[in-house]
């Protein structure tokens, strides 16, 4: 029965594949759907169940919105670990190096499928539970980029851009430490330095270099691609790098407040540093 369901999903993807020239999509459509469902199950079932056992006080006393964001961080953390490992094993693939625009490899294609499933979940959750336009833009842009990559296109760069998620691991851990009464602790301080170091080196420096290289490659092959690729990839590349710099400044500000909180200006309640209105200062920086 399961093989039949998987084949039906692949068949349903063929019209979309034919219309938009996404030749690799039918072969990975079932993986995309399974990945999306997996992350949804983690978000709505597994994460709440596990967190209630591991953090009965912090998670149990949190309000509905905080628990929802907490569970989203768990999904984000799992995805980050998975794609970093999967993308890392593709970095030395000769087929991708030899043709950075259209080269493909089965391992890279599988990794792209997992990423599409995740960003499908991410985009939907960011829209339904809207907290910040930046998250919506990020989710929709990444979904569009990886979905169009099922041509296949730019797998060489996709594997490298997915390594941005290294910083996400430390960000999610930082957030969870906030909610479990570890705000301002040595552990959070160490994790905070790791977060800033990873974000700066992987996303801003190395990521910026890869983004420039990608734009050069895109400029050289845009005549072989539908116009939508230039429309989506060009602006999205610039916008996502801009968001990285914006979020980096926000993280520095938030981290400084966590380790330099003066009496009367803020307090720790085991659920993060709160401002005068009782609002967590780093809650919105989920990515």
């Amino acid at each position: 029965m399961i093989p039949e369901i998987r084949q039906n999903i692949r068949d349903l993807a063929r019209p979309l594949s034919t219309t938009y020239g996404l030749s690799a999509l039918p072969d990975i459509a079932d993986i995309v759907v399974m990945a999306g469902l997996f992350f949804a199950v983690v978000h709505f079932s597994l994460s709440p169940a596990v967190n209630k056992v591991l953090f009965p006080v912090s998670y149990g006393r949190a309000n509905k919105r905080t628990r929802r964001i907490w569970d989203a961080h768990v999904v984000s953390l799992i995805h980050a670990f998975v794609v970093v490992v999967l993308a890392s094993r593709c970095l030395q693939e000769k087929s991708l190096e030899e043709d950075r625009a259209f080269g493909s490899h089965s391992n890279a294609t599988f990794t792209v499928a997992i990423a599409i499933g995740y960003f499908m979940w991410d985009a939907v959750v960011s829209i339904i539970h809207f907290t910040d336009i930046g998250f919506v833009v990020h989710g929709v842009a990444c979904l569009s980029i990886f979905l169009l990559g099922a041509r296949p296109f730019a797998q060489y760069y996709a594997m490298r851009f997915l390594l941005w998620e290294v910083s996400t691991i430390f960000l999610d851990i930082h957030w969870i430490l906030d909610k479990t009464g570890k705000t301002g602790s040595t552990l959070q301080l160490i994790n905070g330095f790791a977060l800033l170091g990873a974000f700066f080196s992987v996303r801003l420096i190395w990521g910026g270099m890869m983004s420039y290289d990608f734009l050069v490659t895109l400029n050289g092959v845009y005549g072989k691609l539908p116009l939508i690729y230039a429309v989506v990839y060009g602006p999205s590349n610039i916008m996502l790098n801009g968001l990285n710099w914006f979020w980096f400044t926000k993280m520095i500000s938030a981290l400084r407040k966590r380790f330099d909180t003066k009496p009367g200006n803020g307090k720790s309640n085991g659920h993060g540093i709160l401002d005068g209105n009782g609002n967590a200062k780093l809650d919105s920086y989920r990515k």
Side-chain angles (χ1 to χ4, degrees):
M1 182 177 179
I2 293 179
E4 293 178 358
I5 294 175
R6 295 183 65 177
Q7 186 58 51
N8 288 335
I9 294 174
R10 293 184 177 190
D11 292 339
L12 289 173
R14 295 192 189 283
L16 181 65
S17 169
T18 302
T19 301
Y20 295 99
L22 306 177
S23 60
L25 185 59
D27 294 332
I28 62 173
D30 55 328
I31 300 174
V32 170
V33 173
M34 286 189 293
L37 290 175
F38 169 75
F39 290 124
V41 170
V42 171
H43 186 194
F44 297 110
S45 297
L46 294 181
S47 178
V50 173
N51 282 323
K52 287 177 182 177
V53 174
L54 295 180
F55 311 108
V57 176
S58 300
Y59 187 85
R61 292 181 179 178
N63 58 41
K64 184 177 180 180
R65 176 181 179 276
T66 299
R67 290 197 301 269
R68 185 177 66 242
I69 296 175
W70 192 321
D71 296 327
H73 275 283
V74 172
V75 177
S76 173
L77 182 61
I78 292 174
H79 167 260
F81 271 117
V82 171
V83 296
V84 165
V85 172
L86 293 178
S88 295
R89 68 175 184 168
C90 300
L91 296 179
Q92 303 302 321
E93 293 296 345
K94 292 183 179 180
S95 59
L96 304 183
E97 178 67 43
E98 292 171 354
D99 187 350
R100 297 188 177 189
F102 302 109
S104 64
H105 188 275
S106 58
N107 289 340
T109 301
F110 177 79
T111 304
V112 167
I114 299 298
I116 294 174
Y118 170 77
F119 286 118
M120 183 169 59
W121 165 86
D122 184 45
V124 172
V125 170
S126 296
I127 293 172
I128 294 178
H129 301 298
F130 179 86
T131 57
D132 189 288
I133 188 62
F135 296 151
V136 175
V137 171
H138 179 274
V140 173
C142 289
L143 175 60
S144 301
I145 288 171
F146 282 94
L147 185 58
L148 288 176
R151 190 172 185 87
F153 175 67
Q155 286 191 0
Y156 172 88
Y157 296 102
M159 297 305 98
R160 284 151 178 79
F161 288 138
L162 282 174
L163 294 185
W164 285 10
E165 295 300 291
V166 169
S167 65
T168 301
I169 294 173
F170 297 109
L171 178 57
D172 290 329
I173 292 174
H174 183 93
W175 193 95
I176 293 173
L177 288 173
D178 251 353
K179 300 306 177 186
T180 54
K182 299 298 189 295
T183 299
S185 65
T186 300
L187 178 59
Q188 192 182 53
L189 178 62
I190 294 172
N191 184 79
F193 279 120
L195 166 59
L196 292 179
F199 201 100
F200 182 77
S201 59
V202 177
R203 288 189 180 238
L204 302 187
I205 304 302
W206 189 69
M209 293 169 59
M210 285 294 100
S211 294
Y212 173 78
D213 192 71
F214 169 72
L215 289 176
V216 172
T217 298
L218 178 63
N219 182 63
V221 300
Y222 78 91
K224 302 177 182 179
L225 296 165
L227 179 61
I228 190 173
Y229 280 79
V231 172
V232 170
Y233 278 88
S236 293
N237 194 21
I238 296 173
M239 176 193 63
L240 290 174
N241 276 279
L243 279 175
N244 282 338
W245 281 99
F246 173 74
W247 283 334
F248 185 67
T249 60
K250 291 295 184 180
M251 283 191 294
I252 291 177
S253 176
L255 286 167
R256 289 179 62 183
K257 291 177 181 178
R258 271 166 175 57
F259 296 99
D260 188 28
T261 303
K262 298 178 180 179
N265 292 336
K267 59 181 179 179
S268 173
N269 70 343
H271 295 284
I273 291 293
L274 306 182
D275 61 20
N277 298 317
N279 299 314
K281 295 178 181 178
L282 196 62
D283 278 0
S284 61
Y285 307 117
R286 183 162 60 84
K287 295 299 177 184

